């Protein structure tokens, strides 16, 4: 396994992983799900890390530039957001997602939010990775948030016709630095 910063050559591979595992979060686009993901990832490709095995991308994670807007009304300023965290199903459970999330969020000088979702009845899918990486769940958006926001048509589970999906906001609070006099 090798971890590295993503390049423009990685965009299609990352977008395919996201499309296969998540669907898309870009519900405002009229493009296909894959085209929408390519568009979104291209904007922030310099903020992505990938994991490769035998030169094949098996995982990716990105983090946004500093955002001024707190769309979840958490009282946070100058935040960053985890864009996507995906690991090929064949390689899940091997620590790849944890390492990618650490690469994106360790040594953070801003608070980082992660909009976690889950079709598991008990917890969001990324709960254990988030806890390992120092994130805390601070807002439960409920089990019908995504349906109310019209995400379902762009979700990887769109064929299931599910009626509930957990949505939570997790935060890794910034690391306070102190200066010595």
């Amino acid at each position: 396994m090798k971890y590295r910063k993503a390049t423009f050559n990685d965009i299609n591979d990352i977008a395919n992983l996201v499309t296969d595992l998540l669907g898309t979060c870009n519900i405002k686009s009229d493009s296909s799900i894959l085209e929408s993901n390519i568009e979104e990832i291209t904007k922030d490709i310099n903020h992505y890390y990938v994991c490769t095995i035998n030169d094949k991308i098996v995982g990716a994670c990105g983090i946004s530039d500093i955002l001024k807007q707190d769309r979840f009304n958490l009282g946070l300023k100058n935040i960053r957001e985890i864009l996507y965290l995906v690991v090929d199903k064949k390689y899940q459970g091997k620590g790849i997602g944890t390492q990618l999330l650490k690469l994106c969020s360790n040594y953070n000088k801003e608070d980082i939010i992660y909009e976690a979702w889950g079709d598991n009845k008990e917890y969001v899918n990324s709960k254990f990775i988030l806890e390992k990486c120092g994130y805390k769940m601070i807002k439960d958006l409920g089990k019908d948030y995504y349906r109310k926001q019209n995400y379902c048509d762009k979700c990887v589970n769109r064929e299931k016709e599910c009626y509930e999906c957990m949505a939570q906001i997790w935060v890794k609070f910034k690391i306070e630095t102190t200066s010595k006099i």
Side-chain angles (χ1 to χ4, degrees):
M1 281 183 256
K2 293 182 182 175
Y3 296 90
R4 62 173 173 78
K5 290 283 280 180
T7 68
F8 280 96
N9 293 333
D10 299 327
I11 292 170
N12 287 336
D13 291 335
I14 296 169
N16 279 311
L17 265 179
V18 170
T19 301
D20 291 344
L21 296 169
L22 301 176
T24 188
C25 292
N26 186 9
I27 61 172
K28 295 177 176 95
S29 174
D30 291 329
S31 303
S32 75
I33 293 173
L34 179 59
E35 291 169 336
S36 176
N37 288 337
I38 290 170
E39 184 180 310
E40 287 294 306
I41 293 162
T42 299
K43 289 191 282 188
D44 293 298
I45 192 63
N46 293 327
H47 302 292
Y48 273 85
Y49 288 88
V50 295
C51 174
T52 62
I53 295 177
N54 297 325
D55 295 322
K56 179 184 183 232
I57 293 177
V58 298
C61 187
I63 188 166
S64 72
D65 280 328
I66 295 174
L67 305 172
K68 305 287 186 213
Q69 178 184 346
D70 176 2
R71 65 187 169 109
F72 295 107
N73 301 315
L74 304 172
L76 303 173
K77 295 180 181 172
N78 296 330
I79 57 178
R80 290 179 178 257
E81 183 173 8
I82 296 299
L83 302 171
Y84 291 113
L85 172 59
V86 291
V87 177
D88 185 310
K89 286 184 181 181
K90 291 185 280 191
Y91 299 98
Q92 291 178 4
K94 300 182 184 312
I96 294 170
T98 301
Q99 184 62 31
L100 288 167
L101 187 58
K102 285 179 179 179
L103 286 168
C104 283
S105 61
N106 276 1
Y107 314 110
N108 51 311
K109 295 177 183 163
E110 299 83 26
D111 295 328
I112 302 171
I113 63 172
Y114 185 107
E115 184 180 332
W117 69 281
D119 48 10
N120 182 317
K121 298 283 186 209
E122 298 175 39
Y123 48 82
V124 293
N125 297 356
S126 50
K127 175 186 191 295
F128 301 109
I129 292 172
L130 290 165
E131 289 174 341
K132 276 188 213 174
C133 292
Y135 285 75
K136 307 284 182 222
M137 198 279 285
I138 64 165
K139 187 170 188 174
D140 189 340
L141 299 172
K143 293 184 178 184
D144 61 352
Y145 173 78
Y146 289 121
R147 187 167 32 89
K148 286 180 178 175
Q149 302 296 319
N150 297 316
Y151 277 77
C152 297
D153 289 340
K154 302 274 185 157
C155 173
V156 71
N157 293 332
R158 61 193 165 277
E159 307 302 331
K160 281 187 177 179
E161 295 184 27
C162 45
Y163 295 101
E164 62 180 42
C165 184
M166 291 181 156
Q168 298 174 340
I169 303 302
W170 290 64
V171 175
K172 183 169 185 179
F173 293 99
K174 65 183 165 197
I175 297 171
E176 297 293 335
T177 56
T178 56
S179 59
K180 295 180 180 180
I181 301 178

